């Protein structure tokens, strides 16, 4: 009689993988409950025992700090921007960029807003360790490789200036192929794009109602029926 095959246990998670898994489960809960979320809720969402959380993090405060750092982490949106094909028309490129940026800023605002509304005040700490590393995303034909400082492992988690510069540079790279057709340099177009997007989202539901296609159309062509005909 043949012996049954030996079952092998699946390899366990590394500490960083476990932290990343917990953060991924906790983020939507924090966006909903803010600082009132419990570690028991996070454990249920992650499908783990509550004790596992405290083997990966010192306390709930550290979990929330890691979630805040992950929500603010621009590397995700930078990869999305870098994956947009330059073979597309400029308007299509910028529409994809607007959708990616809106999703990133909405998630960031949901987490920060929920924590603030629940009375949580995060202490400023040294750069948080990135969760789960930085996977290399596959790029379609026409995509680029981004060498932004943004992607560096030593980037301070709260370095807004560095984040903004990297995002603007990624957007300018999307505009660059059409430099000759524009009245403004790509870097300036990228800055205006970000300014308009931030202002739009600042108005909440009213601003969120603007379709990305309409947003890009106004950016590129203005609001006049015949651009250049205004007094």
């Amino acid at each position: 009689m043949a012996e049954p095959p030996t079952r092998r246990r699946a390899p366990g998670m590394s500490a960083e993988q476990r932290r990343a898994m917990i953060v991924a489960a906790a983020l939507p809960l924090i966006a909903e409950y803010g600082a009132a979320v419990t570690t028991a809720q996070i454990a249920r969402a992650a499908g783990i025992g509550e004790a596992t959380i405290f083997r990966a993090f010192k306390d709930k405060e550290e979990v929330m700090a890691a979630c805040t750092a992950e929500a603010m982490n621009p590397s995700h949106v930078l990869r999305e921007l870098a994956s947009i094909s330059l073979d597309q028309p400029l308007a299509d490129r910028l529409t994809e960029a607007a959708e990616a940026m809106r999703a990133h800023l909405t998630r960031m605002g949901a987490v920060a807003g929920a924590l603030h509304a629940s009375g949580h005040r995060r202490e400023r700490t040294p750069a948080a360790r990135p969760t789960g590393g930085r996977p290399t995303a596959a790029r379609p034909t026409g995509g680029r490789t981004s060498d932004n400082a943004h992607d560096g492992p030593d980037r301070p988690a709260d370095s807004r200036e560095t984040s903004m510069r990297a995002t603007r540079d990624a957007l300018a790279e999307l505009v660059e192929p059409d430099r000759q057709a524009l009245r403004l340099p790509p870097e300036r177009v990228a800055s205006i794009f970000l300014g308009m997007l931030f202002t739009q989202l600042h108005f909440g539901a009213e601003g969120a109602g603007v379709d990305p296609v309409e947003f890009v159309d106004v950016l590129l062509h203005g609001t006049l029926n015949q651009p250049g005909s205004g007094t």
Side-chain angles (χ1 to χ4, degrees), residues 21-211:
M21 179 267 291
I22 293 169
V23 166
L27 270 171
L29 292 174
I30 289 177
E32 182 175 358
Y33 299 108
V37 70
T38 66
T39 51
Q41 288 175 305
I42 295 171
R44 283 195 297 271
I48 58 177
E50 192 172 3
T52 302
I53 293 177
F54 296 109
R55 285 197 292 270
F57 296 92
K58 181 176 66 176
D59 50 28
K60 191 179 85 169
E61 183 68 27
E62 191 172 84
V63 176
M64 291 193 295
C67 287
T68 300
E70 178 66 12
M72 305 295 175
N73 186 354
S75 63
H76 307 294
V77 74
L78 286 177
R79 285 195 296 270
E80 288 194 48
L81 294 177
S83 72
I84 296 173
S85 174
L86 297 179
D87 294 337
Q88 300 181 87
L90 176 60
D92 292 346
R93 278 176 258 148
L94 291 179
T95 298
E96 283 192 39
E99 291 170 343
M101 286 296 304
R102 177 183 286 185
H104 171 64
L105 293 172
T106 298
R107 182 177 78 154
M108 190 167 66
V111 171
L115 288 173
H116 181 79
S118 60
H120 181 258
R121 299 293 181 270
R122 183 169 67 94
E123 295 182 3
R124 300 185 67 85
T125 57
R129 193 170 38 173
T131 58
R134 294 182 297 106
T136 302
R139 304 180 186 278
T141 302
R144 284 91 50 232
T145 299
S146 174
D147 292 325
N148 290 314
H150 224 92
D151 269 340
D154 297 325
R155 183 189 65 83
D158 61 348
S159 178
R160 295 183 182 180
E161 183 178 350
T162 301
S163 298
M164 286 298 298
R165 187 185 305 115
T167 304
R168 185 199 62 206
D169 290 348
L171 289 167
E173 193 175 350
L174 287 175
V175 178
E176 180 62 37
D178 291 86
R179 176 185 286 270
Q180 298 304 317
L182 298 168
R183 293 189 297 114
L184 299 174
E187 297 76 15
R188 183 61 179 153
V189 174
S191 294
I192 294 172
F193 176 102
L194 288 173
M196 288 176 60
L197 186 65
F198 291 149
T199 301
Q200 174 194 353
L201 293 179
H202 179 73
F203 286 97
E206 181 180 350
V210 179
D211 183 79

